[in-house]
Amino acid sequence: MSESTSTVSAAATAPKKGGGRRKLSLPVILLIIAGGLLLFSLVRVISGANDLTSVGQVAGALQLAVPIGLAGLGGLWSERAGVVNIGLEGMMILGTFFGAWAGYQWGPWTGVLLGIVGGALGGLLHAIITVTFNVNHIVSGVAITILATGLTRYLANFTFAEAEGGSSKQSPRIDAIDRITIPGLSDGLADLQAKHWFFVSDLAGVLGGLVTGLSLLTVVALLLIPATWWILWRTAFGLRLRSCGENPIAAESLGVNVYKYKYIAVTVSGALAGLGGAFLAIVSTGIYQEGQTGGRGYIGLAAMIFGNWMPGGMALGAGLFGFTDSLKLRGGAENVHAMLLLLAILLVAMAVWQLYKKKYVNAAIAAVVSAGLFVWYVGTDKLPSQFVDAAPYVTTLLVLALSAQRLRMPKADGMPYKKGQGK
């Protein structure tokens, strides 16, 4: 490695201050997943909500998590280069429209490509506004979301309203992308899950959900997570891109074209969000519907923050939000009611940890809230439908509130930058 590349590496991997969280390695992620599965198994046995980790529940959670994860992955690309992309929601909207528009006419894979292009155009516009003209990143992102909402609503009147089976608010039906089910293994795991054994059946349910009715586009989306990690953390290109988000002045002094890397990162960010939107239209529902993104771009941004701007952590966050969202679709109030017990147990663990850290006020608050949740769980059989519908968004707020204290964003994330300003 050359001296200049070593210096860029130092700029991109500056030491953490303020007790930033450690990066999540693969063994740590696997331990977190195993621990979470044990906890879910315990809650399932106590509550009797046997659908909590069923094959159908896990498969549904994965399908709901993919668009969120793609949006979060897009946010990671952008913010690692120093550009806040709150316009992910708008870029997803563009992906849903263009994906459906091309998909019902020329096939689902063409729809996927056009959805990516639509999102990438939104990302390119965001890059022009923020990188070239130095407009505030938040203002630009909000404006792009508003623009995308209005533009797709306008275009739908001319494209879908006249098409057979469509209307001004939805597209005609789009042909489905092929799905994969591994025969034998899928049935065996489903039978094992149906026995409701502690942990073993829960593990079978999770694995069964990963090999049953898996869309080919889901496989592509899952592969993009390790691909992003490899590109951004194991290549010279990724090193230079991340240096633009840590210290663009130092990167420029070493010959890095900061504008170019920011443009690439934000355009890729939009393309990934557009892919998430195309997934919603083509795989999740099979049609375009006005407003179908439902804030998933913002939830994807929350998943990225929860994951500490790392692909593995982001994937965990997307999985959590997708699972919470799927609870209301299968079993609804019963499954969400069981989650009260899960939250209560987690808060007990948090109270013990805070006591160990000698933070007595935090421990007391966690213990009081945990007791309240236990009382709520014991005193009710099901939850109001309004709470069930709000569960994904409540989870988003709770996760951000609990994880935000030990995060470390890229140092120059959201900061204005002009070429040559370090001279």
Side-chain angles (χ1 to χ4, degrees), residues 13-81:
T13 57
K16 302 176 182 178
K17 295 181 180 179
R21 292 195 306 183
R22 293 180 179 177
K23 294 180 180 179
L24 293 176
S25 62
L26 181 60
V28 172
I29 291 175
L30 292 176
L31 283 174
I32 292 173
I33 293 173
L37 193 58
L38 275 171
L39 185 57
F40 270 103
S41 185
L42 178 64
V43 169
R44 177 184 61 80
V45 171
I46 295 174
S47 66
N50 289 321
D51 194 47
L52 204 58
T53 55
S54 67
V55 171
Q57 176 75 43
V58 174
L62 179 61
Q63 183 165 292
L64 289 166
V66 166
I68 295 172
L70 287 170
L73 210 57
L76 189 149
W77 270 83
S78 181
E79 299 207 9
R80 277 293 175 180

Side-chain angles (χ1 to χ4, degrees), residues 38-388:
L38 275 171
L39 185 57
F40 270 103
S41 185
L42 178 64
V43 169
R44 177 184 61 80
V45 171
I46 295 174
S47 66
N50 289 321
D51 194 47
L52 204 58
T53 55
S54 67
V55 171
Q57 176 75 43
V58 174
L62 179 61
Q63 183 165 292
L64 289 166
V66 166
I68 295 172
L70 287 170
L73 210 57
L76 189 149
W77 270 83
S78 181
E79 299 207 9
R80 277 293 175 180
V83 180
V84 174
N85 191 358
I86 203 171
L88 290 167
E89 178 75 7
M91 296 165 201
M92 285 191 79
I93 292 172
L94 292 172
T96 60
F97 175 83
F98 286 105
W101 173 71
Y104 87 89
Q105 297 182 88
W106 303 303
W109 287 109
T110 305
V112 170
L113 292 176
L114 264 291
I116 292 172
V117 170
L121 290 175
L124 179 61
L125 178 60
H126 187 49
I128 292 171
I129 295 171
T130 56
V131 178
T132 301
F133 294 102
N134 254 326
V135 174
N136 181 276
H137 300 187
I138 305 299
V139 173
S140 173
V142 172
I144 286 173
T145 299
I146 295 172
L147 175 64
T149 303
L151 178 64
T152 53
R153 188 174 297 170
Y154 174 77
L155 291 176
N157 287 318
F158 296 95
T159 53
F160 301 143
E162 303 298 327
E164 184 180 354
S167 70
S168 62
K169 294 185 182 294
Q170 74 174 47
S171 71
R173 177 65 55 178
I174 306 166
D175 291 337
I177 291 176
D178 292 337
R179 293 179 177 270
I180 302 170
T181 296
I182 301 178
L185 179 60
S186 175
D187 294 336
L189 290 171
D191 292 340
L192 187 58
Q193 180 267 317
K195 296 182 182 299
H196 305 310
W197 293 339
F198 179 77
F199 189 76
V200 175
S201 292
D202 300 282
L203 180 60
V206 171
L207 296 177
L210 298 176
V211 297
T212 305
L214 198 64
S215 169
L216 290 176
L217 192 54
T218 301
V219 177
V220 172
L222 293 175
L223 291 175
L224 286 173
I225 296 172
T228 290
W229 172 83
W230 184 81
I231 291 170
L232 294 184
W233 275 270
R234 287 295 181 269
T235 67
F237 168 83
L239 177 62
R240 295 186 186 104
L241 187 147
R242 288 186 293 116
S243 72
C244 296
E246 294 291 345
N247 194 333
I249 296 175
E252 183 188 359
S253 70
L254 295 168
V256 175
N257 189 333
V258 176
Y259 276 17
K260 182 183 79 171
Y261 281 94
K262 285 180 179 286
Y263 262 85
I264 292 172
V266 181
T267 303
V268 170
S269 173
L272 288 167
L275 178 58
F279 187 96
L280 275 175
I282 297 170
V283 177
S284 298
T285 60
I287 56 173
Y288 163 83
Q289 290 178 308
E290 186 179 300
Q292 72 186 127
T293 55
R296 286 178 175 83
Y298 301 116
I299 297 177
L301 200 61
M304 179 208 67
I305 295 171
F306 166 78
N308 206 18
W309 289 264
M310 294 293 293
M314 184 283 305
L316 284 178
L320 171 63
F321 296 134
F323 179 81
T324 307
D325 204 10
S326 71
L327 289 177
K328 64 182 181 182
L329 301 179
R330 293 179 57 89
E334 179 186 355
N335 285 339
V336 177
H337 183 251
M339 294 300 289
L340 288 178
L341 179 61
L342 176 66
L343 287 174
I345 294 172
L346 286 173
L347 286 170
V348 168
M350 180 179 292
V352 172
W353 176 251
Q354 294 297 328
L355 281 174
Y356 173 76
K357 301 286 287 185
K358 297 183 179 179
K359 296 181 179 179
Y360 301 114
V361 174
N362 293 348
I365 293 173
V368 169
V369 175
S370 176
L373 289 174
F374 271 122
V375 171
W376 191 2
Y377 172 77
V378 173
T380 57
D381 294 325
K382 62 180 182 179
L383 298 176
S385 59
Q386 295 86 347
F387 186 87
V388 175

